[in-house]
Amino acid sequence: MRKRTEPVTLEHESCAASGSSSSGSAAAALDADCRLKQNLRLAGKGPAEPRSGADAGMKRALGRRKSLWFRLRKIILCALGFYIAIPFLVKLCPGIQAKLIFLNFVRVPYFIDLKKPQDQGLNHTCNYYLQPEDDVTIGVWHTIPSIWWKNAQGKDQMWYEDALASNHPIILYLHGNAGTRGGDHRVELYKVLSSLGYHVVTFDYRGWGDSVGTPSERGMTYDALHVFDWIKARSGDNPVYIWGHSLGTGVATNLVRRLCERETPPDALILESPFTNIREEAKSHPFSVIYRYFPGFDWFFLDPITSSGIKFANDENPFPLQCEAHLLSSAHLAR
């Protein structure tokens, strides 16, 4: 019995061994097959990665272009809306147009003390304050001929007023819009005229510089008339010339017309950079170029000026014949 069972046991053991070896080989084959498939998948994915990166880069570039175009379109639409809105704003608020004509809020140069003209190199100039009306005060500078600059040191206002009666002609200078009587180019002109032997009297209209009041054509003309009368009350028989520059030419012609009507004309009238009238000046001004062909330009931009009472009609300020002849002869002699 033992002899028969032993071979069976050995056979079973050999079968088990063979079975285990066959199952191990099958598992090994299965693992090898899995690794092969994984390698194939990795190999297949390798070449595709650069292509997907390029696609992402293109998408980002297109996104940037769309974003830039969106911003540009937004800026263009905003600018167009602003361009269209300005005419309606000016029409609804005529005061804006008056501000743009006077530009009295532009005080250049800034941070200067108009009470101290010597800070601007005018060491022979005195600062006054006159009162044309109860609620109006205007600042005035009086520069004497430069040959007296040594005598003028430390002198008070009364000395300067008495100096107007000396044998030197007087120029009443009416400046243009923007800035103050202390503007750099204006100060240089005072120095030149002073060196030529002239008294120079200039002032800031109401609303300009440190002068108190609200700007208007009537008010500016009245301020000039008040200063002219103040000069004539102190100058005796000395000649008085009126010099207007830019917007100041409109004030000058208004002033001279009033003086001629009351038969007290000045000795000469000098117009520097004059214009026909403020309406024509606004139409031809470089700032109006972008709106010159805008539909209803006159209605939007020019009519509000007229409605604000601003004309400065130099072409409508004819002087009496005797006044014209007097001005021409005096101007000829002044040369």
Side-chain angles (χ1 to χ4, degrees):
M1 290 297 289
R2 286 181 184 176
K3 291 181 179 179
R4 286 184 179 180
T5 56
E6 286 177 0
V8 175
T9 304
L10 292 173
E11 184 178 356
H12 280 292
E13 290 176 356
S14 62
C15 288
S18 63
S20 62
S21 64
S22 63
S23 63
S25 61
L30 182 61
D31 291 341
D33 184 51
C34 289
R35 285 195 296 271
L36 180 60
K37 289 180 179 179
Q38 188 175 5
N39 290 335
L40 289 174
R41 286 196 194 100
L42 293 174
K45 288 181 180 179
E49 286 180 356
R51 186 177 298 174
S52 63
D55 292 342
M58 290 179 65
K59 289 180 180 179
R60 284 194 296 269
L62 290 174
R64 289 195 195 98
R65 290 180 183 176
K66 289 181 179 179
S67 177
L68 289 174
W69 167 242
F70 177 77
R71 292 177 184 175
L72 181 61
R73 185 174 60 179
K74 188 176 181 180
I75 292 172
I76 292 173
L77 290 175
C78 289
L80 182 62
F82 187 70
Y83 175 80
I84 296 174
I86 285 179
F88 292 95
L89 185 63
V90 171
K91 185 65 179 179
L92 293 174
C93 304
I96 295 176
Q97 197 75 313
K99 286 286 187 182
L100 294 176
I101 291 173
F102 296 139
L103 291 178
N104 58 302
F105 57 90
V106 179
R107 182 171 175 170
V108 179
Y110 294 95
F111 311 117
I112 68 170
D113 188 355
L114 293 172
K115 297 178 181 178
K116 300 178 179 178
Q118 59 270 19
D119 292 347
Q120 309 305 311
L122 297 171
N123 57 1
H124 52 298
T125 299
C126 185
N127 180 68
Y128 308 145
Y129 287 100
L130 303 180
Q131 194 169 10
E133 296 177 338
D134 292 339
D135 55 347
V136 176
T137 303
I138 57 176
V140 182
W141 279 0
H142 172 201
T143 303
I144 62 172
S146 58
I147 58 174
W148 289 354
W149 76 269
K150 288 185 179 180
N151 296 332
Q153 304 309 306
K155 297 298 191 296
D156 58 7
Q157 178 176 336
M158 189 62 66
W159 184 88
Y160 276 86
E161 291 186 21
D162 293 339
L164 288 171
S166 63
N167 295 323
H168 292 273
I170 303 161
I171 291 179
L172 172 57
Y173 180 75
L174 306 173
H175 66 69
N177 63 354
T180 67
R181 62 188 184 277
D184 293 338
H185 62 291
R186 293 164 186 164
V187 169
E188 292 304 316
L189 178 62
Y190 310 155
K191 292 178 180 178
V192 170
L193 295 176
S194 174
S195 67
L196 295 175
Y198 293 95
H199 290 273
V200 181
V201 178
T202 186
F203 66 96
D204 281 325
Y205 316 104
R206 60 186 70 187
W208 271 261
D210 56 353
S211 298
V212 178
T214 302
S216 68
E217 180 177 356
R218 185 206 67 82
M220 295 165 68
T221 303
Y222 191 79
D223 293 344
L225 180 62
H226 181 80
V227 176
F228 179 85
D229 289 339
W230 179 86
I231 293 172
K232 291 298 292 183
R234 292 158 177 79
S235 62
D237 294 331
N238 285 346
V240 179
Y241 308 143
I242 295 175
W243 184 318
H245 172 239
S246 188
L247 187 66
T249 63
V251 181
T253 57
N254 286 346
L255 171 61
V256 172
R257 181 174 183 174
R258 287 198 179 191
L259 294 175
C260 290
E261 287 174 351
R262 73 180 194 184
E263 298 182 356
T264 57
D267 295 279
L269 172 63
I270 304 166
L271 302 179
E272 179 186 0
S273 301
F275 52 89
T276 306
N277 56 65
I278 201 64
R279 191 180 179 98
E280 292 297 325
E281 173 68 10
K283 184 182 292 186
S284 60
H285 199 278
F287 289 159
S288 68
V289 170
I290 59 175
Y291 284 106
R292 196 168 296 166
Y293 302 103
F294 191 87
F297 173 80
D298 288 7
W299 187 78
F300 278 111
F301 292 97
L302 302 183
D303 291 349
I305 299 176
T306 305
S307 65
S308 298
I310 305 173
K311 294 182 179 179
F312 289 113
N314 292 334
D315 56 339
E316 296 179 7
N317 274 333
F319 310 125
L321 292 178
Q322 66 273 18
C323 187
E324 285 189 18
H326 181 70
L327 289 175
L328 288 173
S329 61
S330 298
H332 180 72
L333 291 174
R335 294 176 191 172

